[in-house]
Amino acid sequence: MRRTIFTFIMLCFVTLTLQAQDVWTAAGSSTIFGSHWNETDTSNDLTDKGDGIWELTKTGCILEQNVKNELKVLKNHSWAESYPAANYVFTVKETGTYSVTIQFDANNFTINVKTTKTGDAVIGEKTWTVAGSLEILGKDWAETATENDMIKQEDNVTYILTKTNLTLAIGTYKYKICANHGWAENYGDENDPEGNASIYIKEDGIYDVTFTFNSATNKVSATAVPSVTDGISQIASDIKTKKVIFNLQGQRITVPKQGVYIINGKKVVLK
């Protein structure tokens, strides 16, 4: 009888110990994890290797050369405790299909990532979309909004989107440029805590905002200029001396005709 009671107590103790064990999960770029920064995705739980070391290997990851891949490791499927404080970032030197192993040391909360190329991969032409503040883009941080897709220019590396006649109050408006209507690859301002780029409006008014993205350098920029008022025009001969001319669709124009253009950052009506 005593042995039975002792065995029962030990089983309860072991069960409670197992139930109390922490779970560590990796979350980050969908190119690695399938889901995008999903802290509840149990398919990305790490395996306990003993001595405080946890590990997860993801296979068949298509990674692009020099494109940042980001992740964190979090405790018990919650962002209340996650490491590192800033995202862990890594890149690969060659585009291809990879096996990615994430190792987490729960003793000192450090992460190590090992990548092994397992095959070749081809990255097709990307769609670049502006996502950010509702007041400028019509939808709030909507990476799937096709109306905010950028237009490729003649140089094949510059993309532009212009939003016109926006009523904007004084303030800062945030945005990012994302690839293929997802957040796996996105660009903004690395000096911002959340990586967002900013547009600063110094006084209330109606503005035209033009976003520019260079896909070769990943440089992001935006300009906001007051919208044109009725009756404003400019002599055609003066226009021809300008170096940077875009139509309202964001396409660069060499010889403008009658219509409305963005010339050196200003909206102009040609009659």
Side-chain angles (χ1 to χ4, degrees):
M1 182 68 176
R2 291 180 179 177
R3 180 176 296 179
T4 302
I5 295 174
F6 176 77
T7 302
F8 176 75
I9 293 173
M10 290 302 297
L11 286 173
C12 290
F13 176 77
V14 170
T15 300
L16 290 172
T17 300
L18 290 174
Q19 289 178 342
Q21 186 179 43
D22 292 326
V23 175
W24 293 99
T25 304
S29 303
S30 58
T31 46
I32 305 170
F33 301 107
S35 57
H36 182 72
W37 291 98
N38 184 357
E39 74 279 14
T40 63
D41 190 343
T42 56
S43 67
N44 294 320
D45 287 353
L46 281 70
T47 299
D48 185 0
K49 308 302 270 188
D51 297 325
I53 304 300
W54 296 73
E55 194 171 275
L56 171 69
T57 296
K58 306 296 287 187
T59 59
C61 304
I62 297 177
L63 305 181
E64 187 176 355
Q65 175 185 5
N66 296 329
V67 171
K68 292 181 179 179
N69 302 285
E70 301 183 69
L71 65 94
K72 283 182 182 250
V73 172
L74 53 109
K75 185 177 180 179
N76 297 331
H77 297 129
S78 169
W79 290 113
E81 184 177 347
S82 62
Y83 303 96
N87 296 341
Y88 184 94
V89 178
F90 72 93
T91 61
V92 294
K93 296 181 179 179
E94 184 180 5
T95 297
T97 302
Y98 285 82
S99 171
V100 179
T101 297
I102 298 103
Q103 190 176 80
F104 177 67
D105 188 337
N107 300 300
N108 52 26
F109 308 116
T110 57
I111 295 174
N112 181 57
V113 172
K114 179 183 177 181
T115 58
T116 303
K117 186 178 179 183
T118 57
D120 295 326
V122 176
I123 305 296
E125 184 172 354
K126 299 174 183 177
T127 298
W128 296 101
T129 305
V130 187
S133 298
L134 171 69
E135 296 86 347
I136 294 179
L137 295 158
K139 294 182 178 179
D140 192 38
W141 291 95
E143 75 281 7
T144 60
T146 57
E147 63 266 36
N148 294 327
D149 289 351
M150 307 182 82
I151 298 173
K152 184 168 70 172
Q153 305 302 299
E154 294 177 358
D155 62 5
N156 289 321
V157 296
T158 303
Y159 290 77
I160 288 177
L161 172 70
T162 298
K163 308 295 283 187
T164 61
N165 299 319
L166 303 172
T167 301
L168 301 176
I170 296 173
T172 301
Y173 299 85
K174 303 283 189 176
Y175 70 95
K176 282 186 175 181
I177 310 295
C178 57
N180 298 329
H181 298 131
W183 290 112
E185 182 182 358
N186 65 84
Y187 300 96
D189 182 357
E190 293 184 353
N191 295 318
D192 182 87
E194 297 180 339
N196 298 325
S198 300
I199 301 169
Y200 303 99
I201 300 299
K202 295 182 179 179
E203 59 179 296
D204 298 351
I206 301 176
Y207 291 87
D208 297 332
V209 177
T210 298
F211 301 92
T212 303
F213 175 67
N214 186 307
S215 61
T217 63
N218 300 329
K219 183 178 180 181
V220 172
S221 63
T223 58
V225 298
S227 296
V228 70
T229 58
D230 293 338
I232 294 180
S233 63
Q234 189 164 339
I235 300 173
S237 60
D238 290 339
I239 296 301
K240 292 179 181 179
T241 65
K242 304 293 183 181
K243 293 182 179 180
V244 184
I245 305 172
F246 298 102
N247 62 21
L248 294 184
Q249 288 71 48
Q251 297 167 314
R252 190 161 184 169
I253 304 299
T254 304
V255 181
K257 299 178 181 179
Q258 186 180 41
V260 182
Y261 298 90
I262 305 295
I263 301 174
N264 285 352
K266 295 182 179 180
K267 192 173 182 181
V268 176
V269 176
L270 293 182
K271 295 183 178 180

